[in-house]
Amino acid sequence: DDLRENTDWAELGKYLVEKLQEAMIDPKNVIVLTMGHTYEKFPFKTIHWNFYESYIRSQIKDDFRPKKDTAKKFLCLARHPKDFRTNFVRQMWDRGILDQFNVSLGKVEGDDEFARNTPIYYDTRTVHDGSLGFKAITGLDPQHQEESYINIVLESIYHNPNMLSNISEKTWKPIAMKMPFIMVGMPHTLRRLRDLGYQTFPWDESYDDEKDDWKRLQMIMDLALKISNMDNNILLGMYKNMKDVLQHNINVIENYDIKTNLYDRIYND
């Protein structure tokens, strides 16, 4: 579909029903195929199919590499500095732990020291004039896997009360690279992943249930701070203990059956 990332499903559902009824089409005979997931019920049938999950699956290679001795605790990529992304990176700067991150962030407006130090480049490419730019968003970069332990996923959307989860390529990439992740996104995004068969991680994930945007961000920042204070050997042990979860997740994404999960639901349900 051509629905954008921030589609308001409550309003969209009402609009679709109204237009179908105007055209004398029974909504019960209509199927809506969408990437945007909601737990809300509508008279038409909705089928969730995530293009990015399928696309990233096609990029998976089996050449997983060991972590470098210089690997940092966190990977955090924020090419477009939306407010919630900037707030997160700024807070990591303010708390004095940004040196534990491989981080990219676009230019932030302002005259303070943090803003003056942006843009921050980590995943870079050389553009036509010889300057640095950001790499393409859809590829799987071995550099990310080798040089970081935990992916801080700064999702496309942080606030949309009427669409409970929006899962973009930003989430599927760490799954495809066998990386644990912390989700900076809408409430219940981890819940949605578990509904799809994926497993999440052994640290405190109660932030996923917090609907207050600022409280949720504070909980995520506190979790990052707690991990940043871990001894590297403890983190390495935790990472090794998560390997079964990481393997399970890559098995789920690799074994996705489009016939069962899409075609059969369209034609047979």
Side-chain angles (χ1 to χ4, degrees):
D1 61 63
D2 194 36
L3 305 179
R4 298 306 175 193
E5 339 185 272
N6 210 25
T7 299
D8 185 323
W9 259 106
E11 292 302 316
L12 176 66
K14 294 176 184 177
Y15 175 81
L16 286 177
V17 170
E18 178 183 320
K19 292 302 180 183
L20 290 169
Q21 291 173 339
E22 287 179 3
M24 295 189 295
I25 299 173
D26 187 347
K28 294 179 181 177
N29 295 328
V30 173
I31 297 172
V32 176
L33 181 65
T34 177
M35 279 178 38
H37 179 78
T38 179
Y39 289 100
E40 194 162 343
K41 301 296 183 183
F42 299 102
F44 49 82
K45 180 178 180 179
T46 58
I47 295 179
H48 174 266
W49 175 69
N50 195 298
F51 164 78
Y52 286 115
E53 181 183 18
S54 297
Y55 179 80
I56 294 298
R57 180 173 63 253
S58 71
Q59 306 299 305
I60 294 174
K61 300 178 181 179
D62 291 329
D63 59 341
F64 296 102
R65 303 175 186 178
K67 300 296 181 189
K68 293 182 178 179
D69 292 340
T70 56
K72 294 191 176 184
K73 289 181 177 176
F74 303 105
L75 172 70
C76 184
L77 304 179
R79 179 170 58 161
H80 296 298
K82 297 180 180 181
D83 286 347
F84 75 93
R85 295 173 177 169
T86 300
N87 286 341
F88 179 83
V89 178
R90 183 188 291 274
Q91 287 292 323
M92 298 300 99
W93 167 285
D94 289 344
R95 297 184 187 204
I97 63 172
L98 200 60
D99 62 329
Q100 299 188 42
F101 285 69
N102 289 313
V103 59
S104 285
L105 180 68
K107 178 61 181 173
V108 175
E109 298 301 321
D111 295 325
D112 62 295
E113 184 180 2
F114 173 77
R116 291 196 302 271
N117 278 274
T118 64
I120 305 170
Y121 292 108
Y122 166 63
D123 57 331
T124 57
R125 63 182 174 85
T126 302
V127 294
H128 66 277
D129 62 358
S131 62
L132 292 178
F134 293 103
K135 287 184 179 176
I137 63 172
T138 53
L140 299 180
D141 191 334
Q143 174 190 10
H144 297 166
Q145 178 201 350
E146 292 176 301
E147 298 182 357
S148 309
Y149 281 95
I150 299 170
N151 193 315
I152 306 286
V153 177
L154 298 173
E155 257 294 356
S156 298
I157 303 169
Y158 189 71
H159 174 77
N160 184 334
N162 294 313
M163 187 173 68
L164 295 185
S165 67
N166 179 75
I167 303 174
S168 75
E169 83 288 342
K170 301 169 188 65
T171 297
W172 302 118
K173 288 170 74 172
I175 289 174
M177 292 190 291
K178 291 187 178 180
M179 293 182 69
F181 54 89
I182 296 169
M183 179 63 60
V184 186
M186 290 188 295
H188 304 135
T189 304
L190 296 181
R191 168 188 168 187
R192 177 58 185 159
L193 285 169
R194 290 190 290 266
D195 287 348
L196 292 171
Y198 295 94
Q199 296 177 4
T200 55
F201 303 101
W203 43 67
D204 182 4
E205 294 182 331
S206 59
Y207 66 83
D208 190 56
D209 296 321
E210 178 55 64
K211 294 182 180 179
D212 182 280
D213 291 341
W214 177 241
K215 288 182 181 178
R216 187 167 69 259
L217 191 61
Q218 285 182 310
M219 294 169 73
I220 294 167
M221 292 188 297
D222 288 345
L223 175 59
L225 183 62
K226 181 178 179 179
I227 294 173
S228 75
N229 288 328
M230 285 183 180
D231 180 85
N232 286 339
N233 289 328
I234 294 175
L235 177 65
L236 181 58
M238 179 185 291
Y239 176 76
K240 289 179 178 178
N241 289 335
M242 288 189 286
K243 286 193 173 180
D244 287 346
V245 171
L246 300 175
Q247 185 61 49
H248 168 87
N249 287 345
I250 202 165
N251 289 344
V252 172
I253 195 171
E254 285 187 319
N255 294 325
Y256 179 91
D257 183 352
I258 195 169
K259 179 179 183 300
T260 300
N261 290 283
L262 183 58
Y263 301 153
D264 286 354
R265 291 179 62 199
I266 292 174
Y267 296 109
N268 298 330
D269 279 5

